[in-house]
Each structure stands twice: as structure tokens, then as C-alpha cells.
Amino acid sequence: PTIFQGFEVDVPGKTHNAYLSWTRSFSPTWTNEFRFSFGRFEALFTNRNQSAVDFGSTIAFSGTPVSGVGLASTFPQGRILNNFQYQDTITHTAGAHTLRAGVDLTRQLTKEFIPFNNRGTLTFTAAPGGFSSFANFIEGFSGTSGVFASKVFGDPVIYPNRFQQAYFINDSWKVKQNLTLNLGLRYENYGTPANVLP
């Protein structure tokens, strides 16, 4: 960030959610519940003034009250997450046993604008003799350890999509009036994010 007016960064965000549930009784001992949910999250870290992107490279100074001029090199950035979740649970009662089995599937589709210095950064540092980084900037000298045109090339947009799955079975067994055993097995796989190149 910078102290200069006109290069402020805003973080507008939006959240959308939808949920659907359907429960059906097939018989006094068999029921099924299906649930579907959708969630969308958007957060875009962008400059308040669109023309700030056209300003060019970020100019940074070290050791001075003025930290830099221009939009921060990591902006704009942001992410859009779309989550689709499917859940289904079936329940069966048989005597002292209540059996439940189900599945939970989540598909996440993501678009991310990663921190990406595609405009470049010019860094000015102080030099021996009492010359400040800002004085070196005026003289067109980067300083003893300054860096000109630190820049990243490539595409700043990635798509790290993900698929998550879980399966379970559970038996609530009422052994006697004052003793109930809950036995179950669950498998979960959170998957590995996969970046789909544009």
C-alpha cells in the first residue's frame, strides 16, 4: 500500500448461498434424506481508481517516510469460489438396530487472481555519503542494492479445482434399556487441488 491518494485498495466481496433438502419415507422402517447446497464467494482486491493500474511500475523507497508510489505490486488479486455439495443419507430400523449410511460429495470450482507483479517494481535504496533512497530516485540512481524492473511474466489467473468425497455407515444398537452402542465406519478423501491452465 501507499500513502498517496488515488492508489487505495478496496476489497468488495459477495456471498451467495442456496440450500435444498428433501426427506422421503418409503416405509415405517426406511427413510431417505437428500440435501444439496450451493455456495459462491467472491473477493476481489482491486484499486479504487481503475486508472491506477495504468500508472505503471510500483516505485519503492527504503528508509524514508514515503514508502512508495503507485499501486502495490501484488494488486489487483482475488478469488471466486463455487462450491456444490451433494449429501444423501438412508436410514433403516430393524429391531434394536438403527442403521444409517450415506455419502457426502463436494465439488469446488475456483478462479483465482494470484498476487502477481506483472507491472514491475523499481526499488531505490540509500547510498554511502548520506544520500537517501528518495534522493537517488531524483538522480536516477537505484542505490547500492536497488533493483530495476523486478517483474513477473505469465498468466496471473489459475483454477485450483477440487473434489472432496466422504462415505459412512453407522449402527446405533440398543443392547439394553440403559446401554446403546454406536458403531460406524467413515472414509474421507479431500482430494488434491488441480490447477487447470487456461
Side-chain angles (χ1 to χ4, degrees):
T2 177
I3 60 175
F4 284 97
Q5 189 175 6
F7 296 103
E8 301 89 353
V9 173
D10 291 330
V11 189
K14 294 180 182 179
T15 302
H16 305 276
N17 293 290
Y19 176 77
L20 172 68
S21 178
W22 181 43
T23 302
R24 181 176 180 183
S25 297
F26 295 100
S27 72
T29 60
W30 286 95
T31 60
N32 188 80
E33 182 180 7
F34 172 77
R35 295 180 296 273
F36 169 76
S37 62
F38 168 75
R40 179 181 175 90
F41 173 75
E42 299 179 40
L44 299 176
F45 303 77
T46 185
N47 47 291
R48 188 174 302 169
N49 183 1
Q50 184 60 35
S51 62
V53 175
D54 303 325
F55 176 80
S57 300
T58 302
I59 303 174
F61 311 107
S62 63
T64 64
V66 180
S67 60
V69 179
L71 185 67
S73 60
T74 56
F75 291 103
Q77 61 173 280
R79 56 200 55 87
I80 301 173
L81 308 176
N82 293 297
N83 294 311
F84 302 85
Q85 186 174 30
Y86 307 85
Q87 298 173 309
D88 192 82
T89 302
I90 190 166
T91 303
H92 175 59
T93 56
H97 296 269
T98 300
L99 300 169
R100 288 170 56 86
V103 59
D104 185 347
L105 305 175
T106 302
R107 178 64 168 160
Q108 184 180 82
L109 303 177
T110 308
K111 181 178 182 179
E112 292 193 20
F113 306 90
I114 59 177
F116 197 82
N117 187 5
N118 63 334
R119 296 188 315 278
T121 302
L122 307 177
T123 305
F124 293 86
T125 61
F131 296 100
S132 68
S133 57
F134 192 72
N136 286 332
F137 163 69
I138 295 174
E139 292 293 328
F141 175 53
S142 66
T144 55
S145 59
V147 178
F148 275 93
S150 172
K151 180 178 174 67
V152 178
F153 295 90
D155 194 334
V157 181
I158 63 173
Y159 301 85
N161 300 326
R162 188 167 65 92
F163 178 66
Q164 175 182 322
Q165 52 187 319
Y167 309 90
F168 75 92
I169 185 169
N170 181 78
D171 180 14
S172 181
W173 177 22
K174 193 167 186 178
V175 181
K176 51 190 205 176
Q177 191 66 29
N178 61 351
L179 177 63
T180 300
L181 296 179
N182 287 297
L183 310 172
L185 181 66
R186 183 179 179 90
Y187 169 79
E188 293 185 359
N189 187 331
Y190 286 91
T192 302
N195 179 24
V196 180
L197 298 177

